[in-house]
Amino acid sequence: MPDWTTLTPATEALPAQVPDTPRPDTSRTDAGPAPAQAPAPAQAPPAETVAPLPAELRPAPPAADQPVPPDDPARSSKTAEPDPDWHPTDNPKSTLVPGQMRSDREEVPAPFTKEDADKAEIAEARLRSSRSLTASSCQVYWPSWFEVCGAIRDKYNSLGGPASFLSYPTSGNILNPGGTGERVTFANGPIYWSAASGAHPVVNSFLHRWGVHGYEAGWLKYPTTDEVVLPDGGRRQEFQDGAIYVAFQNAIGSAIRNGPLRDKYNSVGGLAPGGTLLGYPIQDQIGLPDGQGQMDRFERGVIYWHPSHGAHPVTGPILEAWSATGYESGSYGYPTGDEFPFNGGVRQDFQGGAIEWNPNWSIDLLEGIPSAPDARRQQAVPDSISCQMNPYKSGAAEPIVPGGPLWVTIVAEVGCSYPPDVWIATLTLWEYDGSTYREVNQTVDNTPPDYYDEYAVAAPCKPLHQYHVEFEAQGFHGNWDSEVVNSDAQIYC
């Protein structure tokens, strides 16, 4: 394709018509000399008339779902406002006529100059008067003098022309490196075209993220759609080898490749991710250090892909446990299947084993224990191991040695159906003076309970103060689980 950014100079436009020269009168037959004729009156040049722009080339009204530029200027491609009042020039002049140009009648919008506007008007007239195929496929949008041609012109008109979010052209058609397609730049972003993908604008966060990956020469290649507005207000744009998602106006945008990982994402709601299992991508898809796998991170989880095991999402507590072991480089390796229900909870298989989690817990009130909802809980641990935590088995305010000062001592208890692999029990004693809580002592025990165990914490007892305990238990048996309960019972000094 030629480079349409070069405009034919105005001096090459069609010349103005010259009036006919008066001819002598030969109707007289007498021999005498013919009387001298009076000079003909001066004639004004005929008015120049240029055909109006055909209706099919007049831009459509802008659509309601125009792209919205982000607040962050680093991700916005907007540099100018659209012109909702734009219209093609009526009967444009094909040569510069001082005082009679459109720029003499109308204000020229910034950043264009009168010189730009006059050049654009002459170009409009030349294109409408020409019968060449090239001219019929191009258009000029006063006061910008650049010619926009072919499929890019048609797309620009369909979006609303200068009234659209793109505003005015700032270049003509530019041939992309390697001859793979063309682009035209506008004040607020470009339109890219290739024979395989068609013509589509790329602006704002999408343009920024696409540029990070090398534009059409990168792995995403050419856009195949405009921005797609999603039900929750987010957007995505499709490219030949992937897509870019923008979750909200200020998001930076994240790119995902076409292939098995994206196929899995689409299968769990990826085409409209708001409120789905994973949500929007929050980083670009990347290759992993072993040179085999790929992963992408989303608002509520990840997807990992391995050529031997496929692509599988990992979310929630199982993801938390798997991350603690080192993800795919740890002992569990890559996921080999999706999460599935198991023993009232869920389980997911990995190369090096399985991770199970049971999310169920229930309130279990026991006789003699204060009847606060959190006084005693049954905390489920994977592999059918459950532990009951009682933050207040007993308590007293008494001297440690006869005749000595009072100490407050509170004993907590726990009972497990089977000893966990790892156990951390933390008992914290809190003091309250009527207005402020203060931590006064804490005990930590890392020994897994042998079905049943007790923990105690003590501190000096101050008059007119009250004390209670906070009991936190963390266990690992298949994955980490934890619970924190506070005693409802108080000891007063």
Side-chain angles (χ1 to χ4, degrees):
M1 289 287 296
D3 183 352
W4 297 113
T5 61
T6 302
L7 178 66
T8 304
T11 54
E12 295 182 14
L14 294 175
Q17 296 295 317
V18 178
D20 289 340
T21 301
R23 292 183 291 273
D25 183 1
T26 58
S27 61
R28 290 179 62 88
T29 57
D30 57 294
Q37 290 185 330
Q43 298 182 12
E48 184 179 33
T49 302
V50 176
L53 191 70
E56 64 270 17
L57 296 184
R58 292 177 178 264
D65 57 351
Q66 300 283 294
V68 180
D71 294 334
D72 185 349
R75 298 171 194 147
S76 174
S77 60
K78 184 175 181 180
T79 65
E81 293 296 331
D83 185 351
D85 300 322
W86 183 87
H87 60 88
T89 304
D90 296 328
N91 197 28
K93 302 296 183 183
S94 61
T95 58
L96 182 61
V97 183
Q100 298 185 30
M101 306 300 289
R102 180 176 176 178
S103 62
D104 296 316
R105 303 185 304 272
E106 299 181 20
E107 181 180 356
V108 178
F112 300 100
T113 64
K114 183 179 187 333
E115 182 182 2
D116 293 329
D118 293 344
K119 189 175 181 180
E121 181 174 348
I122 292 169
E124 280 187 281
R126 180 177 57 81
L127 287 175
R128 291 192 215 171
S129 301
S130 175
R131 297 182 180 181
S132 72
L133 183 61
T134 298
S136 66
S137 68
C138 299
Q139 195 166 339
V140 169
Y141 301 84
W142 187 95
S144 173
W145 55 270
F146 295 101
E147 296 182 11
V148 181
C149 303
I152 295 180
R153 176 202 66 179
D154 296 340
K155 167 58 74 171
Y156 182 52
N157 283 345
S158 74
L159 296 172
S164 74
F165 60 91
L166 292 170
S167 193
Y168 286 100
T170 57
S171 82
N173 290 52
I174 302 169
L175 189 65
N176 291 330
T180 58
E182 296 179 2
R183 70 185 186 275
V184 171
T185 62
F186 298 85
N188 295 331
I191 293 178
Y192 274 72
W193 170 88
S194 78
S197 61
H200 303 283
V202 189
V203 298
N204 297 321
S205 297
F206 293 95
L207 181 62
H208 177 267
R209 181 54 46 180
W210 190 38
V212 167
H213 293 290
Y215 300 103
E216 84 285 351
W219 63 265
L220 283 163
K221 299 183 180 177
Y222 279 89
T224 58
T225 69
D226 297 1
E227 289 183 22
V228 178
V229 182
L230 303 176
D232 68 336
R235 295 176 182 240
R236 80 170 194 276
Q237 185 163 12
E238 298 287 340
F239 294 78
Q240 287 177 307
D241 281 353
I244 295 175
Y245 282 79
V246 175
F248 51 91
Q249 184 176 341
N250 287 326
I252 61 173
S254 300
I256 186 170
R257 292 177 182 269
N258 291 341
L261 192 152
R262 190 182 182 203
D263 291 343
K264 172 59 71 172
Y265 179 52
N266 288 347
S267 75
V268 294
L271 292 178
T276 61
L277 173 68
L278 293 168
Y280 284 84
I282 57 174
Q283 71 173 50
D284 293 343
Q285 182 176 331
I286 59 172
L288 296 172
D290 62 6
Q292 299 184 67
Q294 296 269 328
M295 69 83 62
D296 205 349
R297 188 170 299 277
F298 304 84
E299 291 175 305
R300 293 181 284 276
V302 298
I303 294 179
Y304 273 69
W305 171 83
H306 186 276
S308 300
H309 305 292
H312 305 284
V314 189
T315 64
I318 291 181
L319 174 59
E320 182 180 353
W322 186 46
S323 68
T325 70
Y327 297 103
E328 84 288 350
S329 61
S331 59
Y332 281 90
Y334 283 87
T336 59
D338 292 359
E339 179 184 291
F340 60 92
F342 184 79
N343 283 349
V346 291
R347 171 175 173 152
Q348 188 162 9
D349 293 326
F350 294 79
Q351 288 174 308
I355 298 177
E356 301 170 6
W357 180 69
N358 191 317
N360 300 315
W361 59 266
S362 62
I363 298 171
D364 186 11
L365 302 181
L366 301 180
E367 187 176 355
I369 300 297
S371 57
D374 62 349
R376 187 177 178 98
R377 293 179 186 268
Q378 177 173 311
Q379 177 63 38
V381 181
D383 294 339
S384 301
I385 294 178
S386 63
C387 297
Q388 291 196 15
M389 301 164 56
N390 180 11
Y392 188 92
K393 179 186 179 184
S394 62
E398 57 188 10
I400 295 179
V401 295
L406 292 179
W407 279 63
V408 60
T409 303
I410 299 179
V411 178
E413 64 180 339
V414 65
C416 295
S417 60
Y418 189 86
D421 293 337
V422 179
W423 180 259
I424 304 173
T426 304
L427 198 63
T428 305
L429 184 63
W430 290 89
E431 178 184 84
Y432 181 62
D433 63 5
S435 61
T436 305
Y437 283 96
R438 186 172 68 92
E439 180 184 323
V440 293
N441 200 7
Q442 185 179 82
T443 61
V444 179
D445 193 315
N446 296 325
T447 304
D450 188 10
Y451 298 101
Y452 176 83
D453 211 343
E454 293 182 356
Y455 311 94
V457 64
C461 195
K462 295 181 179 180
L464 304 178
H465 286 63
Q466 62 188 45
Y467 298 84
H468 80 281
V469 293
E470 177 185 88
F471 187 14
E472 179 181 12
Q474 300 180 70
F476 185 85
H477 195 87
N479 79 276
W480 281 102
D481 208 352
S482 66
E483 187 65 43
V484 178
V485 291
N486 282 269
S487 67
D488 188 50
Q490 309 281 338
I491 291 181
Y492 296 88
C493 293

